[in-house]
Amino acid sequence: LSVFCFCFLMSAAGGSKLWGGRFVGGVDPIMSKFNDSLPYDRRLFDVDLDGSVAYAKALVKPGLITEEERDSIVQGLEKVREEWKSGTFEAKPGDEDIHTANERRLKELIGEAAGKLHTGRSRNDQVATDVRLWLRTTIKSLRVLLLELLGSLTVRAQNDIDILMPGYTHLQRAQVIRWSHLLMSYAWALKRDLQRLDQIAERVNVLPLGSGALAGNPFDIDRAFLAKELDFPAISDNSLDGTSGRDFVSEFLMWGSMLCTTLSKFAEDFIIYSSKEFGFLTLADAYSTGSSLMPQKKNADSLELIRGKAGRIFGNACGFMMTLKGLPSTYNKDMQEDKEPLFDTCDQLDGIIKIATGVISTLTVNKEAMYNDLSPGMLATDLAYYLVRKSLPFRDAHHVVGSVVRLSEEKCCEMKDLSLEELKTLHALFDKDVEEVWNYERSVEQYQANGGTSKAAVSKQVNDMFTFLESARS
């Protein structure tokens, strides 16, 4: 009895496979579950139906189906789409992937004409087309979100341009900068991320449909017509590459890793600056959480998750690259593993960018805390520049100011508290006008060159970014 039941289950599991004619026995139910991708590739239902509608139309020209059959197929596909969108589509045993499920349901709706839809088409070129269609749409959505984030950063930089703060290298106080200058540093990095995304979008937007399983299409299918129907500006030039190429997926996953590297650095800075030890920033309650034990805690979990998810997305990219690296040419089942990391990366990026935008738009800047953390020691370089402007070579000026720092440490005082007489013992060029060095606003205003932290230089950055955003949105 147990053997009978096992054989019955195997037969039932393999009964509606698109490839079933070659096989005598059924598929082990464990293998069937292991093989099936419908639990996750159902997300492709809409684009899969788009591709099938276009292909049905293309089958008419070479006489593979009649216009009446085309209309029946298209109407049936639209009914399948309605079922997916309304949540009434019923998956059945044997629906191993979205292509099988859609074709099976189409046959139930319109009968034998459904069997002609797959003429000359393989799931190899079908899925490659589906993924490109889906990713193309997703890239457009992510692009809109990135533009919103860039806009929020730039508006914030414009509004907060008079706020000064310590700039850091090696996590130690270095020089005085404008808070807006720091914000714009993230903006310029994100601009490059956006430009890279636009470049990837061009390479995604290539149609592989009409490549068949690997050798091409033998029925004189008009691929230019398919490209026009599906709004692709280009078609793949080689059927082997068209069906097996997944570099566009790995490139997108690597892009996601680079974007998250940018945002992880942003998150790390803001986590540090929002801590009690710094107190520069206060996150809105909407983007913070508390502790189950310590009532006083306000945790920057939004930023910590941005930082943490960067590792997850980098893992998706590395994992898929390892999947690709050992594959022989053309399609292999390993390529089914492209979808879960791709879907997960896109889902996580959607949330990450939205959260980052929300944090930027709602945080409170504690400008007094930023200003109070400025110290005369951060003007040591300015003191060297003071001597340079009096014609002392910079290396000599650097050495002299090092001596000033050491003297102030020996006397347990700030450099600005050293007397003129004490400074003159270190170099004769020190004069009364040295007092002008100990001014934080004056310090930032000397950096007038493009890209600097003076008000004019940062304002130019802001205006240039607004110009870029206007162009990018058009």
Side-chain angles (χ1 to χ4, degrees):
L1 180 61
S2 61
V3 174
F4 170 78
C5 291
F6 176 72
C7 292
F8 174 78
L9 285 170
M10 290 181 69
S11 179
S16 59
K17 303 295 185 185
L18 297 181
W19 41 264
R22 153 68 174 88
F23 293 81
V24 175
V27 178
D28 185 327
I30 296 175
M31 173 57 190
S32 183
K33 183 177 181 181
F34 187 65
N35 181 62
D36 291 357
S37 60
L38 185 62
Y40 51 86
D41 71 15
R42 62 176 55 217
R43 295 178 67 158
L44 300 174
F45 81 86
D46 212 20
V47 293
D48 187 68
L49 293 167
D50 287 340
S52 290
V53 168
Y55 198 74
K57 294 177 181 178
L59 289 173
V60 175
K61 184 178 179 180
L64 296 170
I65 63 173
T66 65
E67 292 184 356
E68 291 75 15
E69 288 173 322
R70 175 201 62 197
D71 294 342
S72 176
I73 290 171
V74 170
Q75 289 169 12
L77 290 170
E78 294 303 332
K79 288 179 181 178
V80 175
R81 194 193 307 272
E82 290 172 13
E83 291 182 4
W84 277 111
K85 289 187 174 181
S86 65
T88 59
F89 186 96
E90 292 185 21
K92 294 184 178 180
D95 289 350
E96 62 178 284
D97 53 39
I98 188 61
H99 326 296
T100 310
N102 282 342
E103 187 170 330
R104 184 266 309 162
R105 181 57 179 145
L106 178 65
K107 186 175 181 179
E108 291 174 352
L109 290 170
I110 70 169
E112 292 304 316
K116 296 185 177 183
L117 175 60
H118 212 57
T119 304
R121 182 174 68 162
S122 166
R123 285 185 298 173
N124 296 356
D125 62 343
Q126 187 175 0
V127 70
T129 302
D130 287 0
V131 174
R132 287 178 182 270
L133 284 168
W134 185 88
L135 184 54
R136 182 176 72 179
T137 300
T138 302
I139 284 175
K140 290 178 182 177
S141 298
L142 291 174
R143 189 178 190 277
V144 170
L145 294 178
L146 267 178
L147 287 170
E148 290 175 358
L149 174 56
L150 267 170
S152 295
L153 277 167
T154 309
V155 168
R156 185 102 215 188
Q158 182 182 50
N159 293 340
D160 294 350
I161 199 166
D162 291 324
I163 300 175
L164 305 184
M165 69 174 294
Y168 295 85
T169 62
H170 308 279
L171 266 182
Q172 299 185 64
R173 294 178 190 173
Q175 292 179 304
V176 185
I177 62 171
R178 293 186 184 277
W179 156 243
S180 293
H181 195 47
L182 178 65
L183 291 177
M184 291 308 298
S185 73
Y186 307 132
W188 291 116
L190 288 169
K191 176 191 173 185
R192 294 192 297 275
D193 289 323
L194 181 65
Q195 290 170 326
R196 279 188 283 266
L197 182 62
D198 287 342
Q199 293 164 1
I200 291 170
E202 291 183 18
R203 290 185 282 278
V204 169
N205 209 12
V206 176
L207 176 72
L209 189 59
S211 298
L214 74 161
N217 190 292
F219 295 110
D220 197 26
I221 289 294
D222 187 344
R223 297 188 68 204
F225 171 81
L226 288 171
K228 184 177 180 181
E229 284 291 301
L230 294 170
D231 197 24
F232 280 98
I235 60 175
S236 57
D237 296 306
N238 181 287
S239 60
L240 303 179
D241 178 57
T243 56
S244 65
R246 294 297 186 276
D247 53 325
F248 71 96
V249 175
S250 55
E251 187 177 15
F252 176 81
L253 295 177
M254 287 186 284
W255 172 82
S257 300
M258 293 185 70
L259 172 64
C260 283
T261 300
T262 301
L263 293 177
S264 182
K265 179 172 69 173
F266 149 83
E268 172 67 6
D269 284 345
F270 279 33
I271 289 167
I272 293 171
Y273 295 153
S274 64
S275 67
K276 292 292 184 182
E277 286 69 22
F278 280 77
F280 292 174
L281 307 173
T282 302
L283 267 61
D285 288 349
Y287 297 97
S288 308
T289 66
S291 166
S292 62
L293 178 65
M294 297 167 283
Q296 83 281 9
K297 293 292 296 295
K298 181 177 180 179
N299 299 325
D301 283 3
S302 55
L303 297 169
E304 290 173 14
L305 284 170
I306 289 175
R307 185 178 60 187
K309 287 178 183 292
R312 173 175 174 170
I313 289 173
F314 184 70
N316 286 340
C318 290
F320 186 59
M321 287 293 288
M322 292 304 98
T323 297
L324 289 181
K325 74 170 188 64
L327 297 185
S329 291
T330 75
Y331 186 82
N332 296 270
K333 192 68 170 184
D334 314 52
M335 293 177 185
Q336 182 168 292
E337 294 301 303
D338 62 351
K339 295 170 197 63
E340 288 184 286
L342 178 62
F343 293 159
D344 180 63
T345 293
C346 290
D347 290 344
Q348 298 306 317
L349 288 176
D350 181 88
I352 287 170
I353 300 170
K354 288 176 180 175
I355 292 296
T357 303
V359 168
I360 282 289
S361 302
T362 60
L363 65 81
T364 300
V365 181
N366 305 318
K367 59 183 181 181
E368 291 81 10
M370 286 184 172
Y371 191 86
N372 290 338
D373 251 23
L374 300 176
S375 61
M378 299 176 68
L379 300 175
T381 307
D382 297 63
L383 191 61
Y385 292 158
Y386 166 85
L387 294 172
V388 167
R389 291 185 175 101
K390 291 179 179 286
S391 300
L392 189 67
F394 177 77
R395 281 300 163 206
D396 294 339
H398 187 282
H399 182 77
V400 171
V401 174
S403 299
V404 175
V405 172
R406 184 173 63 251
L407 180 60
S408 68
E409 289 175 347
E410 290 172 355
K411 290 183 169 291
C412 298
C413 68
E414 297 284 0
M415 289 188 297
K416 71 180 184 64
D417 295 326
L418 293 172
S419 67
L420 181 58
E421 290 72 22
E422 289 171 321
L423 291 174
K424 280 184 173 292
T425 63
L426 300 176
H427 203 283
L429 285 176
F430 285 115
D431 210 338
K432 291 180 180 180
D433 59 352
V434 73
E435 291 296 327
E436 297 175 7
V437 171
W438 314 117
N439 182 296
Y440 300 127
E441 187 70 33
R442 182 180 182 277
S443 175
V444 294
E445 282 307 294
Q446 69 185 315
Y447 298 104
Q448 294 283 336
N450 282 352
T453 197
S454 71
K455 188 169 185 176
V458 175
S459 293
K460 183 180 185 305
Q461 294 180 53
V462 168
N463 292 332
D464 288 349
M465 185 58 72
F466 278 138
T467 299
F468 167 76
L469 290 172
E470 184 177 358
S471 173
R473 287 173 177 142
S474 62

